[in-house]
Amino acid sequence: MRKIVASILVGTLAAAGLVFASAGTPSVSADEALKRLRDGNERYTAEKPTAAQRSTKASRAALAKSQSPYAIILTCSDSRVPPELLFDSGLGELFVIRVAGNIPDPVVLGSIEYAAEHLGTPLVMVLGHERCGAVTATVDAKGKAHGNIGAIVKAIAPSIKKATKECAACKEDKQCEKTRKSEYVECVIDTNVKLVTANLTKNSKVLKHLVAEKKLKIVSAKYDLDDGKVTLFQ
């Protein structure tokens, strides 16, 4: 009976694409993956996209039974920040996870672990963006928010304290949150992206191990809503 139940469960998970395979082999290196992202963003800003050529009927057929994305993108749910467009990517090229404020909860971490460990994706990019609504809401909420938005505010809140200490605008003006709010919000956005990036390996033994084994590289970046460029943080 137990064998029957187990077989049914495995079959159900397999149908849903959720059975974890053995560790995948990267199709490209992390550096090559990063170069592809940069090149794709250059094509996007130059308005010379090529993604349609890699999103054909033949592409769908080739990807129907397996996938091997070269990069994992953790970014915001903001409607203006679709990674597939920003990086001019075709079907099966990016493993995209989107959540307000690009903050990882256990489900998001598990999704990243799956792509990194089982699909063999060699690169993770945490991508923030200008004028992020989730960060702005956190700054305005001052630690309080109604409904489930409170969970987002709570996750982003540590970035406020750190940004206040490190933001150049705040060093010159102790009231920068009020007098230079737009600059201050951008500081918090940058800090949030960097904290999320640093915490990925702190909160995931799987990712920490892959990074230590040089099987995974994690980078952070920011998207400019005005000119469309993605800039890497050092």
Side-chain angles (χ1 to χ4, degrees):
M1 183 64 181
R2 289 182 178 177
K3 290 183 178 180
I4 294 175
V5 172
S7 297
I8 293 174
L9 178 59
V10 171
T12 301
L13 291 174
L18 295 175
V19 172
F20 288 173
S22 58
T25 301
S27 57
V28 298
S29 68
D31 288 341
E32 173 60 26
L34 188 56
K35 183 178 184 302
R36 288 189 183 185
L37 292 177
R38 284 173 161 166
D39 290 347
N41 184 240
E42 287 183 5
R43 292 193 301 273
Y44 169 71
T45 56
E47 296 186 343
K48 296 179 179 180
T50 63
Q53 300 169 19
R54 303 186 303 284
S55 303
T56 62
K57 183 177 180 180
S59 302
R60 291 198 306 273
L63 291 164
K65 295 183 179 180
S66 65
Q67 61 174 317
S68 184
Y70 65 80
I72 303 161
I73 309 294
L74 170 58
T75 192
C76 187
S77 299
D78 193 296
S79 62
R80 302 164 294 178
V81 193
E84 294 88 349
L85 294 181
L86 310 186
F87 296 112
D88 187 35
S89 63
L91 287 173
E93 295 183 355
L94 301 182
F95 192 92
V96 178
I97 305 161
R98 300 182 68 179
V99 60
N102 35 269
I103 49 178
D105 63 9
V107 174
V108 169
L109 279 173
S111 299
I112 297 172
E113 290 174 357
Y114 172 74
E117 184 175 32
H118 300 282
L119 298 181
T121 307
L123 179 72
V124 176
M125 175 181 281
V126 180
L127 180 64
H129 68 92
E130 269 191 316
R131 300 187 284 277
C132 177
V135 172
T136 302
T138 301
V139 171
D140 291 340
K142 300 185 184 302
K144 299 179 181 180
H146 296 293
N148 290 310
I149 293 178
I152 300 173
V153 169
K154 183 178 179 180
I156 298 175
S159 298
I160 292 180
K161 185 175 182 180
K162 187 173 177 62
T164 301
K165 293 180 179 179
E166 300 178 357
C167 181
C170 290
K171 289 180 180 179
E172 300 170 4
D173 182 357
K174 297 302 180 181
Q175 298 297 318
C176 63
E177 182 181 343
K178 297 179 180 179
T179 60
R180 306 173 72 173
K181 185 177 178 180
S182 60
E183 291 180 67
Y184 177 71
V185 168
E186 292 305 313
C187 284
V188 179
I189 290 170
D190 295 354
T191 301
N192 181 56
V193 172
K194 294 173 184 177
L195 276 180
V196 167
T197 303
N199 287 335
L200 288 181
T201 50
K202 291 181 180 179
N203 296 326
S204 169
K205 292 181 180 180
V206 171
L207 299 182
K208 182 178 181 180
H209 172 73
L210 291 173
V211 169
E213 292 292 314
K214 300 187 183 304
K215 294 180 179 179
L216 181 69
K217 184 174 185 177
I218 303 176
V219 299
S220 55
K222 186 177 184 182
Y223 173 64
D224 191 309
L225 293 174
D226 300 304
D227 63 21
K229 292 182 180 179
V230 173
T231 302
L232 283 174
F233 288 125
Q234 298 299 320

